[in-house]
Amino acid sequence: MIQYTDLIRRVLTEGARVPDRTGTGTLAVFGHQMRFDLTEGFPLVTVKKTNWRAAFVEMLWFLRGDTNIAWLHEHGVHIWDQWADKHGDLGPIYGEQWRGSERVDTDQFFALLKGLHADPHSRRHIVNAWSPEHLPEPGIKPSEQPALGLMALAPCHCLVQFFVSPTGRLSCQLYQRSADVFLGVPFNIAGYALLTHLLARHLGYRPGELIWTGGDVHLYANHLDQAAEVLRRDPLPLPTLIQHHEPGRPLWEIEPHELEVVGYASHPAIPAPVAV
């Protein structure tokens, strides 16, 4: 995972001081890309411990089309709590945009599966979470947005595209408009690497690359010491993902216990505050 430490080094050396929505302040660059060959191991950051299980639970939650934190809580995951309303709702965020609802007409993910099967070399294998009509209203608390039919939080990882090579390898490119390098990016890499593996196995392809493309790529001002600590550590070998479910199962029926990461060794976790 030298790609990740190279990204941190770039932000620390080239980043400009930029104010942000949370008032914390950031060191930011605009535009960065990392590529991960999924045949070389599962891309979990090793220079600090990554909670891969929470990232997996979140991705399965998206695939279910769920936007309430209750299912996350059933699996011990609380990463969305601070944005939810008193009923646990988050409004029409990722899962609803992906899978459709009364408010969102299209099940984009079902269409993606059909397209990858019927026309693998199409250039339209895209799932988009950026819905302007559902974006949060400025100046309103995240927990108050769902009552208005709006997202509690605008999607950071907002668009994903898939590509099937002539040799049958499935690759994924993620566009992340807003990238919290220290806390969010390792989590997002793990989630979308999992999604690529799930789709490849389900459709009979082999995993290809995960390409992560960031827009506003930033370190929060209260993460700079932690980022410097990361650069004093050497990356460790990558682990392997094991899928225990049957290949033909609908992806939205997969349970967290059916996914396993083997051989994950990392340096200790480095605590850092979440900017809300």
Side-chain angles (χ1 to χ4, degrees), residues 66-225:
D66 200 346
T67 59
N68 187 285
I69 60 175
W71 191 82
L72 295 178
H73 284 187
E74 289 176 19
H75 297 281
V77 174
H78 295 269
I79 55 177
W80 279 92
D81 288 11
Q82 54 206 316
W83 291 284
D85 69 10
K86 62 182 180 181
H87 306 293
D89 291 323
L90 291 151
I93 62 166
Y94 301 97
E96 190 167 334
Q97 299 299 326
W98 286 16
R99 298 302 315 281
S101 67
E102 293 180 359
R103 292 179 289 201
V104 179
D105 292 337
T106 304
D107 186 335
Q108 294 186 73
F109 202 83
F110 187 71
L112 173 72
L113 288 172
K114 287 178 62 179
L116 285 169
H117 176 75
D119 188 9
H121 302 301
S122 169
R123 296 185 288 270
R124 300 182 181 183
H125 300 313
I126 289 174
V127 175
N128 178 25
W130 189 262
S131 174
E133 65 180 306
H134 296 123
L135 292 179
E137 290 284 350
I140 301 176
K141 293 180 180 179
S143 61
E144 296 174 357
Q145 303 280 357
L148 303 174
L150 302 174
M151 303 175 186
L153 192 66
C156 294
H157 38 102
C158 54
L159 186 143
V160 61
Q161 182 175 4
F162 294 90
F163 172 83
V164 180
S165 75
T167 58
R169 294 182 70 194
L170 178 71
S171 293
C172 167
Q173 179 163 209
L174 164 67
Y175 181 76
Q176 187 160 347
R177 64 159 185 98
S178 176
D180 172 354
V181 171
F182 193 78
L183 290 180
V185 170
F187 210 81
N188 303 135
I189 292 169
Y192 282 91
L194 171 66
L195 179 61
T196 308
H197 274 278
L198 291 174
L199 279 168
R201 187 166 183 260
H202 183 80
L203 294 164
Y205 300 126
R206 290 176 291 115
E209 281 188 294
L210 173 66
I211 301 110
W212 180 94
T213 301
D216 187 309
V217 179
H218 51 268
L219 284 165
Y220 281 102
N222 53 2
H223 294 172
L224 301 184
D225 291 342

Side-chain angles (χ1 to χ4, degrees), residues 207-256:
E209 281 188 294
L210 173 66
I211 301 110
W212 180 94
T213 301
D216 187 309
V217 179
H218 51 268
L219 284 165
Y220 281 102
N222 53 2
H223 294 172
L224 301 184
D225 291 342
Q226 294 93 325
E229 171 61 26
V230 161
L231 295 185
R232 291 190 282 269
R233 300 175 172 186
D234 294 324
L236 301 173
L238 296 180
T240 301
L241 172 70
I242 306 294
Q243 302 181 55
H244 294 291
H245 55 277
E246 292 297 321
R249 286 256 311 281
L251 301 187
W252 41 88
E253 293 182 3
I254 296 169
E255 295 290 338

